[in-house]
Amino acid sequence: MARNQRKPPAGSREDYLQRILTARVYDVARETPLDHARALSRRLGNHVLLKREDQQSVFSFKLRGAYNKMAHLSPAQLARGVICSSAGNHAQGVALAARRLGCRAVVVMPVTTPRVKVDAVQALGGEVVLHGDSYSDAYEHALKLQRRERLSFVHPFDDPDVIAGQGTIGMEIARQHQGPLHAVFIAVGGGGLISGVAAYLKSVRPDVRIVGVQMRDSDAMARSVRAGKRVELAEVGLFSDGTAVKLVGEETFRLARQWVDEFVHVDTDEVCAAIKDVFQDTRTVLEPAGALGVAGIKQYVAKRKIKGQTLATVTCGANMNFDRLRFVAERAEFGEQREALFAVTIPERRGSFRQFCELIGPRAVTEFNYRISDEHLAHVFVGIAIARRDEAQRIARLFERHGFPTLDLTDDELAKEHVRHMVGGHSELARHERLLSFVFPERPGALMRFLSAMHPGWNISLFHYRNQGADYGRILVGIQVPASDRAAFDEFLATLAYPYTEETRNPVYALFLR
């Protein structure tokens, strides 16, 4: 007589293993290759494997979880339709799944979403509703529409069926590579991908370390795990928009606490360098979130000094806006630690400029900005190609020894983002100037709303903006605020809807712009 099979407790490791093994993803997803990154492996002295989810039909892993969730809905639920909120990859996964299952899909996206992503969702048959400036705005509106139209909500990460769908990636990794595997590096936003992959690998290969990789300015999961409770971020960085999540899911937080061994934090420059690394190995351009894992591997290897290990990561998306490539190319050299920036003070006397150039010697100069601004001293903004990060410090010391005061700006965000493009000297007219950098949504009218909120007595004395093709742009503004208006100006900043950073005391501003 056959024994009755006992169903594992909901949310347990056994439950998730069963969900993953029976997940319905292959109606729309394909088993992607686990490629050896030859060039990167040689450079790092380790065996680096890329799980190529960027090769899915929607160029992202998101269709796995979306389809698995929707395939488990009842016929009545499918007949009414589904709804989701997303700024990109999840939206395309839901739209594709809906087309396959023959149901209606409403996708609420922020109005700041690039047209290329809106067009991609509409091409798959999704009904796009544009609402709000942020994902949070879109999410709240989607919940209202769900209740009003009795649609089924397909969450981008905090749902067991979605997590199980993403977990099939871990199942494929374990099947495709059965030899030694030291660690798997996973990009983390809301936590659906890392929860699913960890659920499977910790069941069948508990020796494999699970390493979450987050942007330094969007690390809600790492902070939550460290605090022992979910932590909501006031603001998130927007470069890696696919992982820009202020609050992680309840279920993904619970699973990450159990199964993620550690977290690695990376910055924009490191991610840009990782995008370049993957391109050199595969001739594929990943989106920032898709390259987080590679950036994490590089940092992990550098800090741990490990050699001969097998390290895998999921290249989880390639929905990159073409216009962003300029920014990525510029910043990749910093991420690779191949360019250093300096502010060098040179005395205005005959022969000093020539002496400075002789000290640079045969090194490749990537940027050189100079304008006379004082009868005694000149400030030069110079970029120099380097082979290693510590070389920048040696060059700075060389300049100092020969009487040229030097400021290393290689890690100064203001210098890299704005000042290198606008070096031009000081102005006697810019009295009482305060310098601030703002993050603006890339949409018509955002700048005018900002300007209209200002007091008419405050004059804009400096302005710099470059379109990088991202959902959000960065703007540097100098505003003349008399001492008597300081309190009112601080109140204005506190009520402003745009994130900002005060840069008035930044040394590069003092040297070149004030």
Side-chain angles (χ1 to χ4, degrees), residues 86-99:
S86 170
N89 293 344
H90 179 61
Q92 293 181 63
V94 169
L96 177 64
R99 187 172 70 177

Side-chain angles (χ1 to χ4, degrees), residues 135 137 164 176 181 205 209 299 324 376 415 429 491:
Y135 169 78
D137 295 335
Q176 291 168 322
L181 182 58
R205 295 283 303 273
R209 293 187 67 77
Q299 187 189 117
R324 301 186 79 180
H376 301 295
L429 300 176
E491 184 179 350

Side-chain angles (χ1 to χ4, degrees), residues 307-319:
K307 293 289 183 183
Q309 302 281 6
T310 299
L311 309 169
T313 186
V314 181
T315 54
C316 55
N319 285 298

Side-chain angles (χ1 to χ4, degrees), residues 11-64:
S12 64
R13 184 179 303 179
E14 294 78 12
D15 176 47
Y16 270 103
L17 180 60
Q18 188 176 96
R19 286 175 181 268
I20 293 167
L21 290 171
T22 59
R24 293 180 58 186
V25 301
Y26 296 108
D27 290 346
V28 293
R30 59 179 290 239
E31 180 170 322
T32 53
L34 187 66
D35 289 343
H36 176 212
R38 290 180 174 81
L40 184 60
S41 295
R42 284 196 301 271
R43 280 177 48 210
L44 298 183
N46 290 274
H47 187 60
V48 179
L49 301 174
L50 308 177
K51 180 61 174 162
R52 300 294 305 281
E53 284 299 291
D54 57 285
Q55 292 188 357
Q56 295 290 357
S57 60
V58 294
F59 309 104
S60 162
F61 73 97
K62 285 285 191 176
L63 78 171
R64 293 178 185 257

Side-chain angles (χ1 to χ4, degrees), residues 388-406:
R388 298 186 311 275
R389 179 64 183 89
D390 59 358
E391 192 176 345
Q393 299 168 7
R394 294 204 304 273
I395 294 172
R397 289 196 295 267
L398 173 68
F399 292 156
E400 292 273 0
R401 284 200 307 272
H402 287 81
F404 299 119
T406 300

Side-chain angles (χ1 to χ4, degrees), residues 249-439:
E250 291 184 13
E251 180 67 355
T252 56
F253 167 64
R254 184 182 72 84
L255 299 178
R257 288 186 73 187
Q258 291 183 53
W259 298 331
V260 177
D261 294 292
E262 61 183 300
F263 290 90
V264 170
H265 292 78
V266 296
D267 60 26
T268 297
D269 294 346
E270 290 173 304
V271 175
C272 289
I275 293 172
K276 181 179 178 181
D277 290 323
V278 175
F279 176 80
Q280 290 176 329
D281 257 311
T282 68
R283 296 301 184 266
T284 298
V285 180
L286 298 179
E287 63 185 87
L292 277 185
V294 172
I297 286 176
K298 292 171 64 180
Q299 187 189 117
Y300 188 89
V301 168
K303 288 186 175 180
R304 301 292 181 93
K305 309 295 183 186
I306 60 175
K307 293 289 183 183
Q309 302 281 6
T310 299
L311 309 169
T313 186
V314 181
T315 54
C316 55
N319 285 298
M320 168 73 90
N321 289 342
F322 181 81
D323 291 341
R324 301 186 79 180
L325 296 179
R326 175 177 61 184
F327 176 81
V328 171
E330 286 179 357
R331 301 295 287 265
E333 293 303 300
F334 291 110
E336 273 299 304
Q337 301 177 349
R338 290 177 179 170
E339 183 182 19
L341 293 181
F342 303 98
V344 183
T345 301
I346 299 175
E348 285 285 8
R349 64 168 182 261
R350 191 182 302 275
S352 61
F353 192 73
R354 179 187 180 93
Q355 181 189 2
F356 173 66
C357 292
E358 288 173 348
L359 289 176
I360 295 175
R363 297 181 180 90
V365 175
T366 57
E367 185 148 356
F368 206 108
N369 286 293
Y370 160 74
R371 182 182 178 188
I372 189 169
S373 59
D374 183 273
E375 60 180 317
H376 301 295
L377 296 173
H379 299 302
V380 176
F381 187 99
V382 60
I384 298 176
I386 58 176
R388 298 186 311 275
R389 179 64 183 89
D390 59 358
E391 192 176 345
Q393 299 168 7
R394 294 204 304 273
I395 294 172
R397 289 196 295 267
L398 173 68
F399 292 156
E400 292 273 0
R401 284 200 307 272
H402 287 81
F404 299 119
T406 300
L407 187 62
D408 185 352
L409 303 176
T410 307
D411 296 319
D412 190 298
E413 190 66 23
L414 179 67
K416 292 184 287 188
E417 183 75 23
H418 294 289
V419 175
R420 70 184 302 173
H421 304 292
M422 55 188 300
V423 171
H426 307 71
S427 173
E428 294 297 326
L429 300 176
R431 291 184 293 273
H432 310 299
E433 186 176 64
R434 288 178 67 173
L435 190 71
L436 302 112
S437 61
F438 291 91
V439 178

